[in-house]
Amino acid sequence: MLLSIQDLKVDFRIGERGAVSRVNAVKGISFDIAENTTVALVGESGSGKSVSAMAVLNLLPANAERAGRVLYQGRDLLQAPLAELQHLRGREIACVFQDPMGSLNPVFSVGAQLAEPLVRHLGMGRRAARARAEALLAEVGIAEPRRRLDAYPHELSGGQQQRVMIAMALACEPKLLIADEPTTALDVTIQRQILELIAGLKAKFRMSVLFISHDLGLVGEISDSVVVMRHGIVREQGPVARIFSAPQDPYTRALLACRPSLSQSPARLAVIDEHIAGQTAVSPRPAAAKDPDAPVILEVRDLAKSFFIRQGLFGRREFRAVRELSFKLRRGHTLGVVGESGSGKTTMGLTLLRLHQPTAGEVIFDGRNLLMLGDAERQQMRRRIQIVFQNPYASLNPRFTIAQTLVEPMTIHGIGAGVAEREARARALLARVGLDDLAMAKYPHEFSGGQRQRIAIARCLTLAPEVLVLDEAVSALDVSVQAQVLNLLRDLQDELGLAYVFISHDLAVVRFISDEVLVMKDGEVIEQASAQQILAAPQQEYTRRLLSAVPRGYVAGDTAAQPAA
């Protein structure tokens, strides 16, 4: 057995001196990782997955306390001195983290960071380490590896950054790779490439992998066995085939049921607690059909956006991010916009709101071209078209209470007769998005990611908008919170008649929420049809490639649509 975790407990001390309390993050878990196998650790955010993995090499903060046993080739790492752990880190046990930009040093080139473990652990000279670094970049599929050695992390795409992280982790050919949510923020094709890369390198180096994720469909394609965690305990573990075909624990079944389906569009998605309590039907009713003759609320004609990149001393080069894009959005409908990273989805959304200045085109709203309005008119119109960004951590002011966050836009736009009326409206909107009055006095850091996204949606609703642009608004959320937010968006649309421009790389989510879909590639719309048509009979090879990259779990077909009873 390569690694055996036995009754592992991790507590965090909170406070100082007399006011110390403890948070039990991991409550006595046990599982094994054999040689040349992949074990998936799955569960929602806060289940203890990452804490358990980081406890193996003691990569936890100073206030963490570990107990139990972590046996690596018979040695208990919980009792190992720091010098021994430093020798193991990167050499025999390596890690790939979720956010490569947070893990790569921005002031060192890619080549320097790749060479460091080779020099430190293997004693290579600088020239030999650089040659090996170039070979590693080629091995993980990065084009022009020699040129990329001198690049800095910010000059690479998200997928390339993650490949560099994998190359660094594999530099010393470790026996165990810990991959902590390595594909969560990547589009489906890059995600597919990273999964295939990890699987191929595992076979080549005969290493073991601990793959951490919240998505059972994803891990079903890469793992040999699965460990399901919730609230710091193991709820179920076993071979991946058995977990998918006959899950024993209600929580495992709920995780499978929460995933949106490519083949169905139910009225509501299952939520973990409702599913466990038996409040969700196994075969939910389909969503109600939308009115095909609803009035057009937003019309975009030949929208274009270019960026000009400096080239040489006086020259510049045009980069066309969005090219002659046109569509109509009806009241109460959702337009899904899909494509790989760099396809122009987000640029299009920001240009609609003139957060980017357009190069050409028209955006007709309420009979007026938004792109031709003056500052005062644009300010008035902006209250009617709002945006929800991907990252709720960055889009809320950390110095504002939730009350201030919600009241400020109403004050700016003159909504409500006074502070009391505005605060009452804020409380009503919080209740609508599933939060109580106690949230008003709290700050953003006191909420989970899903709760922050609900607050961001409530902030948009304070202005009673008619159109919401949702830019990857659920991509960073785990499956249960994602289901809650998607259900909320559908409820608000039914109640208020909102129209959505829903930007996402997740085709299953787009299938659930959208009526019509635009497929974008290199700034252009290459396919446009109803969500059902796009998924059932895509016309373009690019669209078919996007669909083929969607994780579908261990069992052939769409397991999310048919969870085991």
Side-chain angles (χ1 to χ4, degrees):
M1 192 61 63
L2 182 66
L3 185 75
S4 180
I5 294 177
Q6 301 175 2
D7 196 29
L8 175 66
K9 301 182 180 71
V10 181
D11 294 347
F12 290 95
R13 299 187 309 278
I14 307 295
E16 298 178 358
R17 298 178 185 155
V20 175
S21 61
R22 292 179 185 276
V23 174
N24 308 119
V26 180
K27 305 169 184 176
I29 69 167
S30 301
F31 63 89
D32 297 329
I33 303 176
E35 293 185 1
N36 194 28
T37 61
T38 298
V39 174
L41 198 56
V42 301
E44 298 169 275
S45 298
S47 62
K49 309 184 302 293
S50 295
V51 170
S52 301
M54 295 306 103
V56 172
L57 289 174
N58 197 20
L59 295 175
L60 297 170
N63 66 330
E65 295 179 352
R66 302 176 300 163
R69 302 175 78 195
V70 176
L71 301 179
Y72 174 71
Q73 294 184 326
R75 292 173 287 172
D76 189 352
L77 299 186
L78 295 195
Q79 306 303 321
L82 180 60
E84 183 178 344
L85 290 177
Q86 288 175 334
H87 174 75
L88 288 175
R89 292 170 183 166
R91 177 66 185 91
E92 296 191 36
I93 304 177
C95 299
V96 177
F97 300 102
Q98 177 175 351
D99 178 16
M101 270 307 285
S103 305
L104 293 171
N105 193 320
V107 302
F108 288 108
S109 68
V110 166
Q113 296 185 64
L114 276 168
E116 183 182 6
L118 296 169
V119 172
R120 180 181 180 87
H121 290 297
L122 303 184
M124 283 188 179
R126 290 290 173 184
R127 183 172 297 178
R130 184 175 173 85
R132 176 62 181 145
E134 182 183 341
L136 283 165
L137 288 182
E139 205 159 56
V140 298
I142 289 185
E144 301 180 89
R146 179 170 297 181
R147 185 171 69 86
R148 293 298 188 186
L149 286 174
D150 296 317
Y152 288 85
H154 72 273
E155 298 178 275
L156 305 178
S157 69
Q160 289 172 324
Q161 291 167 7
Q162 198 62 284
R163 288 170 183 268
V164 170
M165 283 297 301
I166 293 171
M168 289 174 62
L170 298 176
C172 299
E173 299 184 13
K175 295 183 175 69
L176 175 63
L177 176 67
I178 298 174
D180 187 4
E181 301 271 15
T183 63
T184 294
L186 304 179
D187 65 57
V188 286
T189 53
I190 300 298
Q191 182 183 79
R192 169 69 57 188
Q193 292 169 20
I194 296 296
L195 289 180
E196 291 175 352
L197 173 63
I198 291 174
L201 294 170
K202 167 185 173 275
K204 179 176 180 179
F205 295 111
R206 295 191 60 79
M207 67 179 178
S208 297
V209 179
L210 178 59
F211 191 89
I212 301 169
S213 179
H214 59 250
D215 188 344
L216 269 172
L218 182 66
V219 304
E221 299 197 353
I222 194 173
S223 59
D224 301 300
S225 60
V226 179
V227 179
V228 182
M229 287 188 67
R230 192 187 196 199
H231 299 157
I233 63 172
V234 172
R235 295 292 296 257
E236 183 172 4
Q237 60 180 299
V240 65
R242 202 271 298 160
I243 292 290
F244 273 82
S245 61
Q248 303 299 305
D249 192 89
Y251 178 65
T252 310
R253 295 198 292 271
L255 275 179
L256 282 166
C258 282
R259 294 174 57 238
S261 165
L262 279 173
S263 60
Q264 297 179 2
S265 183
R268 299 184 67 77
L269 292 172
V271 177
I272 294 283
D273 291 333
E274 292 176 358
H275 194 277
I276 291 175
Q279 296 173 7
T280 304
V282 174
S283 299
R285 60 185 172 85
K290 300 287 181 65
D291 178 9
D293 299 317
V296 173
I297 191 170
L298 184 72
E299 183 176 359
V300 176
R301 302 171 185 164
D302 298 322
L303 184 69
K305 171 61 183 172
S306 292
F307 295 95
F308 294 91
I309 302 166
R310 187 171 177 176
Q311 197 168 43
L313 191 58
F314 299 108
R316 64 176 189 169
R317 176 171 59 88
E318 182 182 11
F319 171 67
R320 300 177 67 193
V322 177
R323 311 177 186 211
E324 290 78 45
L325 183 146
S326 300
F327 65 81
K328 293 180 180 180
L329 177 64
R330 296 182 180 276
R331 185 178 299 278
H333 285 229
T334 300
L335 176 75
V337 184
V338 300
E340 296 173 290
S341 297
S343 62
K345 307 186 303 294
T346 294
T347 301
M348 179 273 289
L350 295 176
T351 306
L352 286 180
L353 281 79
R354 276 185 70 178
L355 296 175
H356 283 325
Q357 193 63 28
T359 307
E362 297 178 303
V363 178
I364 308 300
F365 177 75
D366 196 18
R368 307 175 72 185
N369 185 0
L370 297 182
L371 306 186
M372 302 299 293
L373 299 179
D375 291 343
E377 292 175 302
R378 187 168 72 248
Q379 179 81 341
Q380 287 298 316
M381 198 64 74
R382 200 168 260 171
R383 62 172 282 189
R384 300 171 65 185
I385 305 179
Q386 288 286 298
I387 186 167
V388 179
F389 295 100
Q390 176 176 357
N391 186 354
Y393 297 87
S395 59
L396 297 176
N397 190 327
R399 297 178 181 274
F400 276 18
T401 65
I402 303 309
Q404 290 172 303
T405 296
L406 298 181
V407 167
E408 183 191 40
M410 290 188 276
T411 304
I412 291 172
H413 289 279
I415 295 174
V419 174
E421 185 176 330
R422 290 169 187 147
E423 288 186 350
R425 180 178 172 83
R427 288 189 181 91
L429 287 170
L430 283 178
R432 177 164 273 175
V433 299
L435 296 171
D436 58 30
D437 285 2
L438 297 176
M440 292 282 283
K442 294 181 179 179
Y443 289 86
H445 72 270
E446 299 179 76
F447 296 91
S448 69
Q451 289 171 322
R452 292 186 208 199
Q453 200 63 290
R454 288 166 178 264
I455 291 165
I457 293 170
R459 179 177 60 183
C460 290
L461 296 177
T462 58
L463 301 179
E466 297 163 58
V467 177
L468 277 187
V469 177
L470 298 127
D471 185 12
E472 300 279 11
V474 299
S475 66
L477 305 179
D478 65 54
V479 285
S480 181
V481 176
Q482 182 186 83
Q484 294 171 23
V485 172
L486 289 172
N487 287 340
L488 169 66
L489 290 172
R490 181 165 275 183
D491 290 344
L492 291 171
Q493 188 171 61
D494 292 342
E495 292 173 28
L496 305 175
L498 296 174
Y500 298 144
V501 177
F502 192 91
I503 299 167
S504 180
H505 62 250
D506 190 329
L507 288 165
V509 168
V510 168
R511 171 74 171 93
F512 171 77
I513 197 75
S514 302
D515 304 294
E516 188 176 4
V517 176
L518 298 182
V519 181
M520 291 189 67
K521 182 178 186 291
D522 299 329
E524 295 182 291
V525 175
I526 64 166
E527 190 163 356
Q528 181 173 355
S530 71
Q532 188 172 349
Q533 280 180 286
I534 288 281
L535 294 170
Q539 301 300 304
Q540 299 293 322
E541 176 58 31
Y542 177 74
T543 311
R544 289 192 286 271
R545 184 156 58 86
L546 285 178
L547 284 167
S548 67
V550 177
R552 297 171 187 258
Y554 177 81
V555 185
D558 192 346
T559 54
Q562 297 175 339

